[in-house]
Amino acid sequence: MVSMDAEHRTDGKRIARNTLLLYGRMLLTMLIGLYTSRVVLDALGFEDSGVYSAVGGFVAMFTVISGSLSSAINRFLTFELGRGESGRPAEVFSAAVTIQLLLALCIIIGAEALGLWYCSTYLKIPDGRLDAVRWVLQFSILTFAINLVSIPYNAAIIAHEKMKAFAGIGIGEALAKLAVALLIAHSAGDRLILYAALMCLVALLVRVAYGLYCRRHFSECRFRPHYDGALLRRMASFAGWNFIGSSSAVLRDYGGTLLINFFHGPAVNAARAQAQQLCGAVQGFVSNFMTALNPQIIKSYASDDKAYMMMLVSRGARLSFLLMLLLGLPVIFNIDFLLAFWLKDVPPHTALFSQLVIVFAAMESLSHPLVTAALAGGRIRNYQLIVGGIQLLNLPLSYLLLVRGWPPETVTAVAIVLSQLCLFARLALLRGMVGLDAREYLKGVYCRVLAVSAAAVVPMIFVQRLFPGGWAGMLLSCCIILLWTGVCIVTLGLRPDERSFIMGRLAPRRAGR
């Protein structure tokens, strides 16, 4: 019989292997994506790019409805696989596909009615572009529906931890989007409409790829329409309470986009979109790490291995933040040079938006494993009421400040403050939900990463002024920041066993051994 420690070592190796696969995927998609966004911005221009972002943001608001069900599908499917032979993943998969098909139909109907009214009444668009906006709306709705139906297949690949396939399909999607960007850059027609149409086609191709892989490799991924009232009620109850958290996150992100469009116009929307694209390149390292880690958190809870789950949650939060710090600081300190190199014309506000979005992503990374642990427990009513309620404050607070004339970056600053309030609320709630030791988390994770941040950032504020301009200064700055931040992470951020492991790997092997 395999010991528990041996199983944990195997799980750890699987997490490491999957993380490396996802990092390779992310590096390629990041490079492709950054160049793609530059080509798209240059081909569409600030205004059309901002219009596409605003219309897409409106359609994405419907993830208020779909996001809660998507989380339910991921949780239930992974949980059933974690139960082993007693699980029912086939029933969960079929129920998930049924729900997503019905939901896609409802969203298409609702988005058609509300979208045409919103675009014609409230959306700020250049003169003579209303017809183009309507076409973009149609394609955006269809793209959203296709992505919605893909979720059960995507969840199956992640739940089975088949990250090689996940990485391959992701790279293929990035290359397809690059092809779209290059095509519209040389198009003589209406580039905005063509871009929306081709992005819809890419979504369809990705959906087909996910479906073919899942049907070939996973026995439960065979859609069989049937009615399981008990299962549907459990999934509906979970999704119903999770609706609050999903809606608050969507309103925070996409509601902020609409507020910026309303108060400052599409050009500033383009600035925020580019900032989020740049942040996504950095945040991708953390999100890929969590993609590899999340199934193990849920499966360990399903198999009643709570101690292992708590270790994964604490270590995942700490390492996620430290990784964001290591990769984000060189970008923050060299943001003007990087933006000038990346984009031919940098939209106003892009630099500060980029810096704030990276800070927000770093602070949010501390909560990602906590969210997974909360969803694994399944009893999320009080959790979503409290945490979701705090997040819902993003929209009204941002609106009140923008009305008073505050700059557009205020939307992201408000999100940073409220994200920390949500973190402390999660810690208090998870003590009762899954037995999390909140005091140990604050001491071993939160205070530790804040100490590392202070030690890494404060000296660089003064040292950065000494670097020359141009490529030489940027490269020197990045090398010194990476080196100093790495030293701070190893000495202050890692636990003794982690530090010993790394030092052992880096130290030369003794002769004869």
Side-chain angles (χ1 to χ4, degrees), residues 370-404:
L370 299 176
V371 174
T372 303
L375 297 181
R379 301 184 303 274
I380 59 172
R381 181 190 63 183
N382 294 338
Y383 171 87
Q384 294 294 8
L385 286 173
I386 295 173
V387 176
I390 295 173
Q391 285 196 133
L392 284 172
L393 295 175
N394 273 280
L395 204 58
L397 288 177
S398 297
Y399 177 82
L400 290 175
L401 293 175
L402 290 175
V403 164
R404 292 179 172 270

PDB file of all heavy atoms in Angstrom, residues 370-404:
ATOM      1  N   LEU A 370      -7.268  30.745  -0.919  1.00  0.00           N
ATOM      2  CA  LEU A 370      -8.350  30.806   0.066  1.00  0.00           C
ATOM      3  C   LEU A 370      -9.702  30.624  -0.600  1.00  0.00           C
ATOM      4  O   LEU A 370     -10.592  29.952  -0.068  1.00  0.00           O
ATOM      5  CB  LEU A 370      -8.303  32.142   0.814  1.00  0.00           C
ATOM      6  CG  LEU A 370      -7.040  32.438   1.628  1.00  0.00           C
ATOM      7  CD1 LEU A 370      -7.119  33.836   2.222  1.00  0.00           C
ATOM      8  CD2 LEU A 370      -6.857  31.407   2.724  1.00  0.00           C
ATOM      9  N   VAL A 371      -9.872  31.229  -1.777  1.00  0.00           N
ATOM     10  CA  VAL A 371     -11.123  31.070  -2.519  1.00  0.00           C
ATOM     11  C   VAL A 371     -11.332  29.611  -2.898  1.00  0.00           C
ATOM     12  O   VAL A 371     -12.426  29.060  -2.755  1.00  0.00           O
ATOM     13  CB  VAL A 371     -11.118  31.962  -3.778  1.00  0.00           C
ATOM     14  CG1 VAL A 371     -12.351  31.689  -4.633  1.00  0.00           C
ATOM     15  CG2 VAL A 371     -11.052  33.431  -3.391  1.00  0.00           C
ATOM     16  N   THR A 372     -10.270  28.948  -3.379  1.00  0.00           N
ATOM     17  CA  THR A 372     -10.372  27.542  -3.756  1.00  0.00           C
ATOM     18  C   THR A 372     -10.748  26.681  -2.552  1.00  0.00           C
ATOM     19  O   THR A 372     -11.583  25.778  -2.655  1.00  0.00           O
ATOM     20  CB  THR A 372      -9.040  27.051  -4.347  1.00  0.00           C
ATOM     21  OG1 THR A 372      -8.699  27.862  -5.464  1.00  0.00           O
ATOM     22  CG2 THR A 372      -9.148  25.603  -4.798  1.00  0.00           C
ATOM     23  N   ALA A 373     -10.147  26.973  -1.391  1.00  0.00           N
ATOM     24  CA  ALA A 373     -10.473  26.215  -0.182  1.00  0.00           C
ATOM     25  C   ALA A 373     -11.924  26.427   0.228  1.00  0.00           C
ATOM     26  O   ALA A 373     -12.611  25.484   0.652  1.00  0.00           O
ATOM     27  CB  ALA A 373      -9.539  26.624   0.954  1.00  0.00           C
ATOM     28  N   ALA A 374     -12.414  27.652   0.101  1.00  0.00           N
ATOM     29  CA  ALA A 374     -13.814  27.928   0.440  1.00  0.00           C
ATOM     30  C   ALA A 374     -14.759  27.178  -0.486  1.00  0.00           C
ATOM     31  O   ALA A 374     -15.748  26.587  -0.030  1.00  0.00           O
ATOM     32  CB  ALA A 374     -14.080  29.435   0.366  1.00  0.00           C
ATOM     33  N   LEU A 375     -14.471  27.173  -1.777  1.00  0.00           N
ATOM     34  CA  LEU A 375     -15.328  26.467  -2.728  1.00  0.00           C
ATOM     35  C   LEU A 375     -15.257  24.959  -2.522  1.00  0.00           C
ATOM     36  O   LEU A 375     -16.246  24.253  -2.716  1.00  0.00           O
ATOM     37  CB  LEU A 375     -14.919  26.814  -4.159  1.00  0.00           C
ATOM     38  CG  LEU A 375     -15.062  28.278  -4.564  1.00  0.00           C
ATOM     39  CD1 LEU A 375     -14.644  28.472  -6.025  1.00  0.00           C
ATOM     40  CD2 LEU A 375     -16.479  28.782  -4.357  1.00  0.00           C
ATOM     41  N   ALA A 376     -14.083  24.452  -2.126  1.00  0.00           N
ATOM     42  CA  ALA A 376     -13.949  23.015  -1.884  1.00  0.00           C
ATOM     43  C   ALA A 376     -14.878  22.562  -0.762  1.00  0.00           C
ATOM     44  O   ALA A 376     -15.446  21.473  -0.820  1.00  0.00           O
ATOM     45  CB  ALA A 376     -12.493  22.680  -1.537  1.00  0.00           C
ATOM     46  N   GLY A 377     -15.030  23.406   0.266  1.00  0.00           N
ATOM     47  CA  GLY A 377     -15.909  23.044   1.373  1.00  0.00           C
ATOM     48  C   GLY A 377     -17.362  22.936   0.989  1.00  0.00           C
ATOM     49  O   GLY A 377     -18.107  22.138   1.569  1.00  0.00           O
ATOM     50  N   GLY A 378     -17.796  23.736   0.025  1.00  0.00           N
ATOM     51  CA  GLY A 378     -19.164  23.637  -0.473  1.00  0.00           C
ATOM     52  C   GLY A 378     -20.173  24.490   0.270  1.00  0.00           C
ATOM     53  O   GLY A 378     -21.170  24.912  -0.314  1.00  0.00           O
ATOM     54  N   ARG A 379     -19.950  24.780   1.553  1.00  0.00           N
ATOM     55  CA  ARG A 379     -20.907  25.583   2.330  1.00  0.00           C
ATOM     56  C   ARG A 379     -20.492  27.053   2.225  1.00  0.00           C
ATOM     57  O   ARG A 379     -19.702  27.549   3.030  1.00  0.00           O
ATOM     58  CB  ARG A 379     -20.915  25.122   3.785  1.00  0.00           C
ATOM     59  CG  ARG A 379     -21.279  23.661   3.953  1.00  0.00           C
ATOM     60  CD  ARG A 379     -21.372  23.260   5.418  1.00  0.00           C
ATOM     61  NE  ARG A 379     -20.139  23.534   6.142  1.00  0.00           N
ATOM     62  CZ  ARG A 379     -19.105  22.704   6.197  1.00  0.00           C
ATOM     63  NH1 ARG A 379     -19.158  21.549   5.557  1.00  0.00           N
ATOM     64  NH2 ARG A 379     -18.020  23.013   6.885  1.00  0.00           N
ATOM     65  N   ILE A 380     -21.050  27.726   1.246  1.00  0.00           N
ATOM     66  CA  ILE A 380     -20.516  29.047   0.893  1.00  0.00           C
ATOM     67  C   ILE A 380     -21.525  30.183   1.077  1.00  0.00           C
ATOM     68  O   ILE A 380     -21.254  31.305   0.661  1.00  0.00           O
ATOM     69  CB  ILE A 380     -20.021  29.046  -0.573  1.00  0.00           C
ATOM     70  CG1 ILE A 380     -21.154  28.698  -1.527  1.00  0.00           C
ATOM     71  CG2 ILE A 380     -18.852  28.086  -0.736  1.00  0.00           C
ATOM     72  CD1 ILE A 380     -20.773  28.862  -2.987  1.00  0.00           C
ATOM     73  N   ARG A 381     -22.655  29.920   1.697  1.00  0.00           N
ATOM     74  CA  ARG A 381     -23.684  30.967   1.809  1.00  0.00           C
ATOM     75  C   ARG A 381     -23.152  32.193   2.547  1.00  0.00           C
ATOM     76  O   ARG A 381     -23.151  33.307   2.006  1.00  0.00           O
ATOM     77  CB  ARG A 381     -24.912  30.426   2.533  1.00  0.00           C
ATOM     78  CG  ARG A 381     -26.041  31.456   2.655  1.00  0.00           C
ATOM     79  CD  ARG A 381     -27.132  30.963   3.595  1.00  0.00           C
ATOM     80  NE  ARG A 381     -26.618  30.796   4.946  1.00  0.00           N
ATOM     81  CZ  ARG A 381     -27.334  30.323   5.967  1.00  0.00           C
ATOM     82  NH1 ARG A 381     -28.577  29.933   5.770  1.00  0.00           N
ATOM     83  NH2 ARG A 381     -26.797  30.200   7.163  1.00  0.00           N
ATOM     84  N   ASN A 382     -22.716  32.029   3.799  1.00  0.00           N
ATOM     85  CA  ASN A 382     -22.238  33.169   4.575  1.00  0.00           C
ATOM     86  C   ASN A 382     -20.987  33.781   3.956  1.00  0.00           C
ATOM     87  O   ASN A 382     -20.806  35.004   3.972  1.00  0.00           O
ATOM     88  CB  ASN A 382     -21.957  32.733   6.015  1.00  0.00           C
ATOM     89  CG  ASN A 382     -23.217  32.331   6.751  1.00  0.00           C
ATOM     90  OD1 ASN A 382     -24.318  32.740   6.379  1.00  0.00           O
ATOM     91  ND2 ASN A 382     -23.072  31.517   7.778  1.00  0.00           N
ATOM     92  N   TYR A 383     -20.135  32.926   3.414  1.00  0.00           N
ATOM     93  CA  TYR A 383     -18.910  33.398   2.774  1.00  0.00           C
ATOM     94  C   TYR A 383     -19.234  34.361   1.640  1.00  0.00           C
ATOM     95  O   TYR A 383     -18.669  35.456   1.551  1.00  0.00           O
ATOM     96  CB  TYR A 383     -18.114  32.191   2.261  1.00  0.00           C
ATOM     97  CG  TYR A 383     -16.929  32.553   1.395  1.00  0.00           C
ATOM     98  CD1 TYR A 383     -15.689  32.822   1.957  1.00  0.00           C
ATOM     99  CD2 TYR A 383     -17.049  32.622   0.001  1.00  0.00           C
ATOM    100  CE1 TYR A 383     -14.602  33.156   1.164  1.00  0.00           C
ATOM    101  CE2 TYR A 383     -15.958  32.951  -0.790  1.00  0.00           C
ATOM    102  CZ  TYR A 383     -14.744  33.219  -0.211  1.00  0.00           C
ATOM    103  OH  TYR A 383     -13.681  33.546  -0.994  1.00  0.00           O
ATOM    104  N   GLN A 384     -20.135  33.978   0.765  1.00  0.00           N
ATOM    105  CA  GLN A 384     -20.452  34.818  -0.389  1.00  0.00           C
ATOM    106  C   GLN A 384     -21.224  36.070   0.014  1.00  0.00           C
ATOM    107  O   GLN A 384     -21.037  37.132  -0.584  1.00  0.00           O
ATOM    108  CB  GLN A 384     -21.241  34.024  -1.431  1.00  0.00           C
ATOM    109  CG  GLN A 384     -20.461  32.888  -2.073  1.00  0.00           C
ATOM    110  CD  GLN A 384     -19.307  33.399  -2.926  1.00  0.00           C
ATOM    111  OE1 GLN A 384     -18.989  34.574  -2.938  1.00  0.00           O
ATOM    112  NE2 GLN A 384     -18.672  32.484  -3.647  1.00  0.00           N
ATOM    113  N   LEU A 385     -22.072  35.969   0.996  1.00  0.00           N
ATOM    114  CA  LEU A 385     -22.812  37.147   1.448  1.00  0.00           C
ATOM    115  C   LEU A 385     -21.861  38.227   1.968  1.00  0.00           C
ATOM    116  O   LEU A 385     -22.035  39.420   1.678  1.00  0.00           O
ATOM    117  CB  LEU A 385     -23.811  36.761   2.532  1.00  0.00           C
ATOM    118  CG  LEU A 385     -25.070  36.017   2.074  1.00  0.00           C
ATOM    119  CD1 LEU A 385     -25.879  35.556   3.274  1.00  0.00           C
ATOM    120  CD2 LEU A 385     -25.926  36.908   1.172  1.00  0.00           C
ATOM    121  N   ILE A 386     -20.849  37.816   2.726  1.00  0.00           N
ATOM    122  CA  ILE A 386     -19.948  38.790   3.345  1.00  0.00           C
ATOM    123  C   ILE A 386     -18.881  39.259   2.357  1.00  0.00           C
ATOM    124  O   ILE A 386     -18.723  40.464   2.112  1.00  0.00           O
ATOM    125  CB  ILE A 386     -19.299  38.184   4.601  1.00  0.00           C
ATOM    126  CG1 ILE A 386     -20.385  37.912   5.659  1.00  0.00           C
ATOM    127  CG2 ILE A 386     -18.237  39.121   5.165  1.00  0.00           C
ATOM    128  CD1 ILE A 386     -19.880  37.156   6.881  1.00  0.00           C
ATOM    129  N   VAL A 387     -18.136  38.311   1.774  1.00  0.00           N
ATOM    130  CA  VAL A 387     -17.057  38.695   0.860  1.00  0.00           C
ATOM    131  C   VAL A 387     -17.625  39.345  -0.403  1.00  0.00           C
ATOM    132  O   VAL A 387     -17.123  40.375  -0.872  1.00  0.00           O
ATOM    133  CB  VAL A 387     -16.199  37.473   0.495  1.00  0.00           C
ATOM    134  CG1 VAL A 387     -15.133  37.854  -0.535  1.00  0.00           C
ATOM    135  CG2 VAL A 387     -15.545  36.891   1.738  1.00  0.00           C
ATOM    136  N   GLY A 388     -18.683  38.734  -0.966  1.00  0.00           N
ATOM    137  CA  GLY A 388     -19.308  39.328  -2.151  1.00  0.00           C
ATOM    138  C   GLY A 388     -19.879  40.696  -1.868  1.00  0.00           C
ATOM    139  O   GLY A 388     -19.814  41.602  -2.714  1.00  0.00           O
ATOM    140  N   GLY A 389     -20.436  40.875  -0.659  1.00  0.00           N
ATOM    141  CA  GLY A 389     -20.974  42.183  -0.293  1.00  0.00           C
ATOM    142  C   GLY A 389     -19.909  43.261  -0.257  1.00  0.00           C
ATOM    143  O   GLY A 389     -20.134  44.395  -0.695  1.00  0.00           O
ATOM    144  N   ILE A 390     -18.726  42.910   0.259  1.00  0.00           N
ATOM    145  CA  ILE A 390     -17.624  43.881   0.287  1.00  0.00           C
ATOM    146  C   ILE A 390     -17.191  44.228  -1.134  1.00  0.00           C
ATOM    147  O   ILE A 390     -16.970  45.396  -1.468  1.00  0.00           O
ATOM    148  CB  ILE A 390     -16.439  43.315   1.093  1.00  0.00           C
ATOM    149  CG1 ILE A 390     -16.838  43.136   2.564  1.00  0.00           C
ATOM    150  CG2 ILE A 390     -15.227  44.248   0.990  1.00  0.00           C
ATOM    151  CD1 ILE A 390     -15.787  42.428   3.402  1.00  0.00           C
ATOM    152  N   GLN A 391     -17.078  43.209  -1.999  1.00  0.00           N
ATOM    153  CA  GLN A 391     -16.644  43.466  -3.372  1.00  0.00           C
ATOM    154  C   GLN A 391     -17.652  44.302  -4.150  1.00  0.00           C
ATOM    155  O   GLN A 391     -17.272  45.066  -5.044  1.00  0.00           O
ATOM    156  CB  GLN A 391     -16.394  42.148  -4.106  1.00  0.00           C
ATOM    157  CG  GLN A 391     -15.108  41.462  -3.706  1.00  0.00           C
ATOM    158  CD  GLN A 391     -14.676  40.392  -4.686  1.00  0.00           C
ATOM    159  OE1 GLN A 391     -13.518  40.337  -5.079  1.00  0.00           O
ATOM    160  NE2 GLN A 391     -15.599  39.543  -5.096  1.00  0.00           N
ATOM    161  N   LEU A 392     -18.925  44.170  -3.826  1.00  0.00           N
ATOM    162  CA  LEU A 392     -19.944  44.948  -4.526  1.00  0.00           C
ATOM    163  C   LEU A 392     -19.803  46.448  -4.277  1.00  0.00           C
ATOM    164  O   LEU A 392     -20.380  47.253  -5.008  1.00  0.00           O
ATOM    165  CB  LEU A 392     -21.348  44.485  -4.107  1.00  0.00           C
ATOM    166  CG  LEU A 392     -21.828  43.169  -4.710  1.00  0.00           C
ATOM    167  CD1 LEU A 392     -23.141  42.729  -4.065  1.00  0.00           C
ATOM    168  CD2 LEU A 392     -21.993  43.285  -6.224  1.00  0.00           C
ATOM    169  N   LEU A 393     -19.039  46.811  -3.261  1.00  0.00           N
ATOM    170  CA  LEU A 393     -18.832  48.239  -2.977  1.00  0.00           C
ATOM    171  C   LEU A 393     -17.945  48.903  -4.011  1.00  0.00           C
ATOM    172  O   LEU A 393     -17.866  50.131  -4.071  1.00  0.00           O
ATOM    173  CB  LEU A 393     -18.211  48.404  -1.584  1.00  0.00           C
ATOM    174  CG  LEU A 393     -19.072  47.975  -0.390  1.00  0.00           C
ATOM    175  CD1 LEU A 393     -18.264  48.081   0.900  1.00  0.00           C
ATOM    176  CD2 LEU A 393     -20.332  48.837  -0.292  1.00  0.00           C
ATOM    177  N   ASN A 394     -17.225  48.123  -4.831  1.00  0.00           N
ATOM    178  CA  ASN A 394     -16.323  48.708  -5.818  1.00  0.00           C
ATOM    179  C   ASN A 394     -17.034  49.678  -6.748  1.00  0.00           C
ATOM    180  O   ASN A 394     -16.547  50.792  -6.995  1.00  0.00           O
ATOM    181  CB  ASN A 394     -15.673  47.595  -6.656  1.00  0.00           C
ATOM    182  CG  ASN A 394     -14.412  47.038  -6.031  1.00  0.00           C
ATOM    183  OD1 ASN A 394     -13.339  47.631  -6.142  1.00  0.00           O
ATOM    184  ND2 ASN A 394     -14.546  45.904  -5.355  1.00  0.00           N
ATOM    185  N   LEU A 395     -18.168  49.273  -7.275  1.00  0.00           N
ATOM    186  CA  LEU A 395     -18.856  50.089  -8.274  1.00  0.00           C
ATOM    187  C   LEU A 395     -19.399  51.393  -7.694  1.00  0.00           C
ATOM    188  O   LEU A 395     -19.124  52.473  -8.234  1.00  0.00           O
ATOM    189  CB  LEU A 395     -19.964  49.273  -8.944  1.00  0.00           C
ATOM    190  CG  LEU A 395     -20.391  49.732 -10.338  1.00  0.00           C
ATOM    191  CD1 LEU A 395     -19.214  49.724 -11.296  1.00  0.00           C
ATOM    192  CD2 LEU A 395     -21.498  48.825 -10.875  1.00  0.00           C
ATOM    193  N   PRO A 396     -20.172  51.354  -6.588  1.00  0.00           N
ATOM    194  CA  PRO A 396     -20.685  52.635  -6.068  1.00  0.00           C
ATOM    195  C   PRO A 396     -19.590  53.564  -5.562  1.00  0.00           C
ATOM    196  O   PRO A 396     -19.677  54.784  -5.754  1.00  0.00           O
ATOM    197  CB  PRO A 396     -21.626  52.209  -4.931  1.00  0.00           C
ATOM    198  CG  PRO A 396     -21.225  50.829  -4.579  1.00  0.00           C
ATOM    199  CD  PRO A 396     -20.734  50.216  -5.841  1.00  0.00           C
ATOM    200  N   LEU A 397     -18.553  53.032  -4.911  1.00  0.00           N
ATOM    201  CA  LEU A 397     -17.479  53.892  -4.428  1.00  0.00           C
ATOM    202  C   LEU A 397     -16.727  54.534  -5.589  1.00  0.00           C
ATOM    203  O   LEU A 397     -16.393  55.731  -5.545  1.00  0.00           O
ATOM    204  CB  LEU A 397     -16.516  53.084  -3.553  1.00  0.00           C
ATOM    205  CG  LEU A 397     -17.037  52.664  -2.172  1.00  0.00           C
ATOM    206  CD1 LEU A 397     -16.010  51.816  -1.445  1.00  0.00           C
ATOM    207  CD2 LEU A 397     -17.407  53.893  -1.331  1.00  0.00           C
ATOM    208  N   SER A 398     -16.447  53.739  -6.630  1.00  0.00           N
ATOM    209  CA  SER A 398     -15.764  54.299  -7.798  1.00  0.00           C
ATOM    210  C   SER A 398     -16.619  55.365  -8.464  1.00  0.00           C
ATOM    211  O   SER A 398     -16.112  56.421  -8.884  1.00  0.00           O
ATOM    212  CB  SER A 398     -15.443  53.183  -8.797  1.00  0.00           C
ATOM    213  OG  SER A 398     -14.552  52.241  -8.248  1.00  0.00           O
ATOM    214  N   TYR A 399     -17.901  55.118  -8.568  1.00  0.00           N
ATOM    215  CA  TYR A 399     -18.809  56.088  -9.187  1.00  0.00           C
ATOM    216  C   TYR A 399     -18.803  57.408  -8.405  1.00  0.00           C
ATOM    217  O   TYR A 399     -18.714  58.493  -8.992  1.00  0.00           O
ATOM    218  CB  TYR A 399     -20.221  55.519  -9.250  1.00  0.00           C
ATOM    219  CG  TYR A 399     -21.238  56.478  -9.802  1.00  0.00           C
ATOM    220  CD1 TYR A 399     -21.388  56.651 -11.175  1.00  0.00           C
ATOM    221  CD2 TYR A 399     -22.044  57.236  -8.949  1.00  0.00           C
ATOM    222  CE1 TYR A 399     -22.309  57.553 -11.686  1.00  0.00           C
ATOM    223  CE2 TYR A 399     -22.967  58.137  -9.451  1.00  0.00           C
ATOM    224  CZ  TYR A 399     -23.102  58.287 -10.824  1.00  0.00           C
ATOM    225  OH  TYR A 399     -24.016  59.181 -11.322  1.00  0.00           O
ATOM    226  N   LEU A 400     -18.909  57.315  -7.076  1.00  0.00           N
ATOM    227  CA  LEU A 400     -18.942  58.530  -6.261  1.00  0.00           C
ATOM    228  C   LEU A 400     -17.662  59.341  -6.410  1.00  0.00           C
ATOM    229  O   LEU A 400     -17.703  60.579  -6.472  1.00  0.00           O
ATOM    230  CB  LEU A 400     -19.163  58.154  -4.791  1.00  0.00           C
ATOM    231  CG  LEU A 400     -20.542  57.602  -4.431  1.00  0.00           C
ATOM    232  CD1 LEU A 400     -20.574  57.155  -2.969  1.00  0.00           C
ATOM    233  CD2 LEU A 400     -21.623  58.646  -4.678  1.00  0.00           C
ATOM    234  N   LEU A 401     -16.520  58.671  -6.484  1.00  0.00           N
ATOM    235  CA  LEU A 401     -15.251  59.393  -6.622  1.00  0.00           C
ATOM    236  C   LEU A 401     -15.088  59.974  -8.022  1.00  0.00           C
ATOM    237  O   LEU A 401     -14.579  61.090  -8.182  1.00  0.00           O
ATOM    238  CB  LEU A 401     -14.101  58.450  -6.285  1.00  0.00           C
ATOM    239  CG  LEU A 401     -14.038  57.993  -4.816  1.00  0.00           C
ATOM    240  CD1 LEU A 401     -12.943  56.965  -4.619  1.00  0.00           C
ATOM    241  CD2 LEU A 401     -13.832  59.185  -3.881  1.00  0.00           C
ATOM    242  N   LEU A 402     -15.498  59.241  -9.049  1.00  0.00           N
ATOM    243  CA  LEU A 402     -15.392  59.755 -10.415  1.00  0.00           C
ATOM    244  C   LEU A 402     -16.327  60.952 -10.619  1.00  0.00           C
ATOM    245  O   LEU A 402     -15.986  61.896 -11.339  1.00  0.00           O
ATOM    246  CB  LEU A 402     -15.717  58.656 -11.423  1.00  0.00           C
ATOM    247  CG  LEU A 402     -14.679  57.528 -11.532  1.00  0.00           C
ATOM    248  CD1 LEU A 402     -15.177  56.436 -12.479  1.00  0.00           C
ATOM    249  CD2 LEU A 402     -13.332  58.066 -12.018  1.00  0.00           C
ATOM    250  N   VAL A 403     -17.494  60.919 -10.004  1.00  0.00           N
ATOM    251  CA  VAL A 403     -18.419  62.055 -10.091  1.00  0.00           C
ATOM    252  C   VAL A 403     -17.779  63.308  -9.513  1.00  0.00           C
ATOM    253  O   VAL A 403     -17.986  64.425 -10.009  1.00  0.00           O
ATOM    254  CB  VAL A 403     -19.737  61.725  -9.361  1.00  0.00           C
ATOM    255  CG1 VAL A 403     -20.552  62.984  -9.101  1.00  0.00           C
ATOM    256  CG2 VAL A 403     -20.572  60.763 -10.186  1.00  0.00           C
ATOM    257  N   ARG A 404     -16.961  63.122  -8.482  1.00  0.00           N
ATOM    258  CA  ARG A 404     -16.302  64.259  -7.836  1.00  0.00           C
ATOM    259  C   ARG A 404     -15.050  64.719  -8.592  1.00  0.00           C
ATOM    260  O   ARG A 404     -14.319  65.593  -8.112  1.00  0.00           O
ATOM    261  CB  ARG A 404     -15.937  63.903  -6.396  1.00  0.00           C
ATOM    262  CG  ARG A 404     -17.161  63.731  -5.491  1.00  0.00           C
ATOM    263  CD  ARG A 404     -16.725  63.347  -4.087  1.00  0.00           C
ATOM    264  NE  ARG A 404     -17.862  63.355  -3.178  1.00  0.00           N
ATOM    265  CZ  ARG A 404     -18.269  64.405  -2.477  1.00  0.00           C
ATOM    266  NH1 ARG A 404     -17.610  65.559  -2.597  1.00  0.00           N
ATOM    267  NH2 ARG A 404     -19.306  64.335  -1.672  1.00  0.00           N
TER     268      ARG A 404
END
